[in-house]
Amino acid sequence: MSELVGKLKAKTGFSRRKQKVSKESSLWWMYIPAVLFVTIFIVYPFMDGVRISFTDWNGFSQSFNFIGLEQYTRMFNDPTTWTVIRNTLLYGIGSTLLQNGLGLLYAILLNNSIKFRSVTRTIVYLPVIISPLIMGYIFYLFFAFQNGALNDALLFFGFDPVNALGNADINPYIIVLVNTYQFVGIAMIIYLAGLQGISKDFYEAADIDGASAFQKFKKITMPMLAPSITINVVINIIGGLKLFDVIVALTGGGPGNASQSSSTFMYDLYFSRQDAGYAATQGVLIAFIILVLSMLALWYFKRKEIEA
Amino acid sequence: MLKSKKKVLLTFLALIVAAMHVIPFYILITTSLKVRGDFSSRWAIPEYFTLENFTIAWREANLGPAFVNSTIITFSAAVLLIFVGSLAAYPLARRNTKLNKAAMMFFIAIMVVPPLTALVPLYQLVVDIGMLNTRTIAVLNNVAAFLPLTVFLYSGFIRSTIPKELEEAAKIDGASTIGIFFKIVFPLLKPVTASVLIIACVFIWNDYQFAIFFLQSSDVQTLTVAMASFFGENQNNLGLVGAAAFMAMIPMAVLFLFLQKYFIAGLSSGAVKG
């Protein structure tokens, strides 16, 4: 996996190695179709979104007014904005912590030559390829108030049933849990690849010096896994901040707006509340948050890698 | 002695992990096998056997047509991605001009833009060009969304693994750039093409966020959209929901179990984008 990071650096030009500028023809016509695709379907809408965020457009009418920063003042005074930001960060950062913690534990466990390890890996990884929406419905069967598996188990052991999905204090955490369950396999696989890249010599040398298992983990395993951690954290943060399908399946953003993420809130504003201008403003905000957080994560872990 | 004890403990732990991760699928199966009105515990296996929920769900959720739509959209998008992406990557990997460096930076910068922020204006654009509720727009959108990653993967691969000498030899023999690309370079790109194919299959097949915006009419619905509207109508009939969810996840799950190695390798290379 460190090889992957190396390749990444080389490809993105982040490496310091200067490449000679070629004087040959650019053959630019070969990438014109790709540039057109991206410009029409990503760049143009993205810029248009910024324009719409300054209007009171309802999403279907021909006429609308430019109202300056009104949607932005509205956004910062709207208590729902803060719920949405809190949830979006919870989904992003909460899932990242859980997925990395669990993913690393699973990887360490399944890196041993034990029975059932490939079956277990397959089982843990399988949900990654299933649609998050469908995974959400599968968990709906588990958490449903009426005759859901969780409540059946609680009743069996003599507890009261809980309305887990309808309770605003619990359901954002359930969403984090489901998202973690679904994607922990990615973290596990990346950590497994990282672990397999660590030479056994380090551990043997540490054994000779009489290092404890914890010392070995802290002084050898963790620093050597730094590139895998960077990749995992960045993927998980981006994935978690964009969360949409699972929320739609489990809570629909409710009760009220209690479990709404930025994505589901924007969808609601646009389609159910005919508030396109405001939806675009929320879009600008989340784009900004995602950008800042992923850059911060990248910067922080890159620095760590260099130190290590 | 101690070593084998430790092994038994670790094996036991692995089994617990596996069991925990199997639970949702176990509940899915017991639920979908139980008829309406059977309120026995979801953990218990029914004492009878019927596929009633599956036949009803298949018909009422329109899973057949949805399956066809998902297949057409995913396959067309993958083919376009491979073609447009590899074509774009070639000059970016081979000709180090200022213009090409700028183009590469453009594609990398786009990868950072979260697509959802552009959904509102994109929806308007699609309405304006009259392509709402067409499979074509789903294909085009998905191609655009995954193109930067595709270009990135192809150009890295061409730069690091395809020897220039072959192309230079062909050039001396008088082959055109496009001829060199399709006859010599493209066939050597199989490993990345496999990755792109798998990434496209998993993410485009599973896509709901784009699909719910652009494919709302029932004749163009993909599996996820059909599943969501079926859930809306049958929220209280968990047996039907379970059966529909089971059938909707089966194609990708089976493909995964047979081609596991390729799926994991392909998705890991795409994981850089996430």
Side-chain angles (χ1 to χ4, degrees), chain A residues 1 4 7-8 10-12 19-31 33-35 37-46 48-49 52 57 59-60 106 109-110 112-116 118 120-135 137-142 144 146-150 152-153 181 184 186 189-190 231 234-235 238 241-242 244-245 248-249 262-263 266-267 270-271 276 279-280 283-284 286-287 290-291 294-295, chain B residues 6-7 10-11 13-15 17-18 20-25 27-28 31 38-43 80 84 87-88 90-92 94-101 103-108 110 112-118 120-125 137 140-141 143-145 147-148 151-153 155-157 159 171 177-178 181 202 206-209 212-213 216 224-225 227-228 231 235 238 241-242 245 248-249 252-253 256-257 260 263-264 267-268 271-274:
Chain A
M1 204 45 63
L4 188 65
K7 275 189 201 158
L8 241 180
K11 276 183 236 167
T12 50
Q19 286 160 326
K20 253 197 292 174
V21 173
S22 157
K23 289 269 188 300
E24 297 165 288
S25 128
S26 292
L27 298 176
W28 52 269
W29 51 270
M30 291 177 85
Y31 51 77
V35 169
F37 258 108
V38 169
T39 308
I40 296 172
F41 292 105
I42 300 177
V43 178
Y44 164 74
F46 184 73
D48 199 36
I52 294 173
W57 188 45
F60 52 86
Y106 286 3
L109 174 65
L110 299 176
N112 292 297
S113 55
I114 48 173
K115 274 183 189 154
F116 305 114
S118 64
T120 309
R121 281 185 202 173
T122 305
I123 291 172
V124 172
Y125 196 85
L126 179 69
V128 170
I129 55 100
I130 294 172
S131 146
L133 182 83
I134 291 173
M135 216 57 236
Y137 291 134
I138 294 175
F139 271 95
Y140 183 86
L141 305 174
F142 190 85
Q146 293 275 342
N147 208 201
L150 176 67
D152 283 346
Y181 168 87
V184 68
I186 293 184
I189 290 291
I190 292 178
I231 292 183
V234 174
I235 310 172
I238 295 175
L241 292 174
K242 287 196 302 200
F244 180 77
D245 312 27
V248 171
S262 280
S263 329
M266 277 168 54
Y267 180 81
Y270 190 58
F271 283 108
V284 172
I286 189 58
I290 293 183
L291 218 69
S294 34
M295 289 296 160
Chain B
K6 193 183 155 202
K7 238 177 196 177
L10 291 176
T11 309
L13 276 175
L15 280 177
V17 169
M20 266 169 39
H21 280 257
V22 157
I23 288 174
F25 294 103
I27 300 294
L28 173 70
T31 305
D38 179 345
F39 294 115
S40 61
S41 170
R42 295 290 171 210
W43 300 85
L80 255 177
V84 178
L87 197 65
Y90 181 68
L92 298 179
R94 280 292 185 251
R95 304 290 172 91
N96 236 335
T97 63
K98 273 187 183 153
L99 181 68
N100 288 2
K101 281 184 170 180
M104 194 66 209
M105 278 317 288
F106 172 75
F107 286 117
I108 290 170
I110 299 296
V112 190
V113 175
L116 72 99
T117 56
V120 170
L122 183 59
Y123 181 80
Q124 191 51 36
L125 175 76
I137 197 62
L140 297 180
N141 263 326
V143 168
L147 250 182
V151 171
F152 181 78
L153 291 176
S155 70
F157 189 82
R159 200 172 293 163
K171 205 170 183 182
T177 309
I178 201 89
F181 177 74
V202 171
N206 288 339
D207 165 63
Y208 176 63
Q209 204 165 357
I212 186 59
F213 271 79
Q216 290 172 337
T224 48
V225 183
M227 186 60 216
F231 177 78
Q235 202 159 357
L238 295 187
V241 172
M249 78 169 201
M252 207 35 89
F256 170 74
L257 291 177
Q260 210 183 133
F263 267 75
I264 292 179
L267 289 173
S268 303
V272 184
K273 195 208 173 191

Side-chain angles (χ1 to χ4, degrees), chain A:
Chain A
M1 204 45 63
S2 60
E3 180 199 4
L4 188 65
V5 172
K7 275 189 201 158
L8 241 180
K9 281 182 195 159
K11 276 183 236 167
T12 50
F14 284 134
S15 64
R16 296 281 159 254
R17 191 163 46 97
K18 278 265 183 282
Q19 286 160 326
K20 253 197 292 174
V21 173
S22 157
K23 289 269 188 300
E24 297 165 288
S25 128
S26 292
L27 298 176
W28 52 269
W29 51 270
M30 291 177 85
Y31 51 77
I32 283 299
V35 169
L36 277 178
F37 258 108
V38 169
T39 308
I40 296 172
F41 292 105
I42 300 177
V43 178
Y44 164 74
F46 184 73
M47 290 180 359
D48 199 36
V50 178
R51 184 183 65 98
I52 294 173
S53 75
F54 293 108
T55 70
D56 62 356
W57 188 45
N58 61 11
F60 52 86
S61 132
Q62 296 298 320
S63 63
F64 56 83
N65 307 303
F66 279 95
I67 52 171
L69 289 174
E70 224 168 276
Q71 299 282 23
Y72 286 84
T73 16
R74 177 177 163 206
M75 178 167 74
F76 290 113
N77 289 317
D78 182 351
T80 310
T81 304
W82 304 111
T83 313
V84 166
I85 290 180
R86 191 210 64 180
N87 287 342
T88 308
L89 291 180
L90 177 69
Y91 300 150
I93 295 170
S95 317
T96 303
L97 292 176
L98 266 180
Q99 280 175 52
N100 279 281
L102 265 182
L104 184 57
L105 280 178
Y106 286 3
I108 291 171
L109 174 65
L110 299 176
N111 197 31
N112 292 297
S113 55
I114 48 173
K115 274 183 189 154
F116 305 114
R117 79 169 171 172
S118 64
V119 180
T120 309
R121 281 185 202 173
T122 305
I123 291 172
V124 172
Y125 196 85
L126 179 69
V128 170
I129 55 100
I130 294 172
S131 146
L133 182 83
I134 291 173
M135 216 57 236
Y137 291 134
I138 294 175
F139 271 95
Y140 183 86
L141 305 174
F142 190 85
F143 288 111
F145 184 56
Q146 293 275 342
N147 208 201
L150 176 67
N151 283 340
D152 283 346
L154 286 175
L155 284 169
F156 180 80
F157 290 109
F159 295 101
D160 288 332
V162 290
N163 187 4
L165 296 176
N167 183 333
D169 295 327
I170 310 178
N171 66 15
Y173 299 99
I174 290 180
I175 290 166
V176 170
L177 217 65
V178 173
N179 187 41
T180 302
Y181 168 87
Q182 176 154 29
F183 291 112
V184 68
I186 293 184
M188 176 188 74
I189 290 291
I190 292 178
Y191 283 131
L192 267 170
L195 286 174
Q196 279 154 13
I198 305 178
S199 159
K200 293 232 175 358
D201 300 351
F202 291 118
Y203 294 106
E204 278 161 17
D207 281 338
I208 294 169
D209 293 342
S212 71
F214 178 72
Q215 279 173 323
K216 279 188 277 182
F217 178 75
K218 202 180 155 215
K219 298 282 183 199
I220 304 172
T221 313
M222 285 306 272
M224 295 296 283
L225 280 182
S228 317
I229 299 176
T230 310
I231 292 183
N232 268 329
V233 167
V234 174
I235 310 172
N236 294 163
I237 283 193
I238 295 175
L241 292 174
K242 287 196 302 200
L243 209 60
F244 180 77
D245 312 27
V246 182
I247 306 168
V248 171
L250 284 177
T251 68
N257 290 316
S259 59
Q260 208 93 263
S261 73
S262 280
S263 329
T264 57
F265 188 46
M266 277 168 54
Y267 180 81
D268 251 24
L269 284 173
Y270 190 58
F271 283 108
S272 315
R273 309 185 201 182
Q274 273 87 45
D275 212 344
Y278 192 39
T281 317
Q282 291 281 348
V284 172
L285 178 71
I286 189 58
F288 182 74
I289 293 178
I290 293 183
L291 218 69
V292 169
L293 277 182
S294 34
M295 289 296 160
L296 268 180
L298 204 60
W299 170 78
Y300 177 78
F301 287 102
K302 275 265 136 28
R303 215 188 46 175
K304 280 265 168 195
E305 266 175 51
I306 292 162
E307 278 172 12

